[in-house]
């Protein structure tokens, strides 16, 4: 797999990218980092919350369908 340094976009786009990477790698987990640069804590928590609420459920569905 080519190295992917960052994944950005809408929750649907990110879910597709995460699911694709997990399927191609045969992975059963995903490690993420939401804090970088000079982001404030509120911004980091906001992004992590969106990921938890909107991306993870979509990614779980896609992975379950692929199995």
């Amino acid at each position: 797999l080519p190295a992917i340094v960052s994944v950005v976009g809408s929750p649907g786009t990110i879910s597709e990218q995460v699911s694709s990477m997990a399927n191609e790698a045969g992975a059963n987990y995903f490690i993420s980092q939401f804090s970088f640069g000079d982001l404030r804590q509120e911004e980091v928590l906001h992004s992590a919350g969106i990921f938890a609420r909107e991306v993870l459920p979509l990614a779980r569905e896609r992975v379950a369908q692929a199995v």
Side-chain angles (χ1 to χ4, degrees):
L1 291 174
I4 297 178
V5 177
S6 62
V7 178
V8 297
S10 69
T13 298
I14 293 171
S15 174
E16 289 174 11
Q17 293 174 347
V18 169
S19 296
S20 176
M21 288 187 296
N23 289 336
E24 288 179 32
N28 60 358
Y29 63 92
F30 180 77
I31 299 172
S32 59
Q33 178 178 345
F34 297 96
S35 178
F36 56 91
D38 61 352
L39 289 176
R40 297 185 323 258
Q41 181 179 13
E42 298 83 26
E43 294 170 308
V44 172
L45 294 175
H46 178 72
S47 293
I50 291 172
F51 187 85
R53 286 187 313 274
E54 299 183 35
V55 175
L56 287 180
L58 294 173
R60 284 187 192 117
E61 288 176 22
R62 286 191 171 98
V63 170
Q65 290 172 358
V67 175

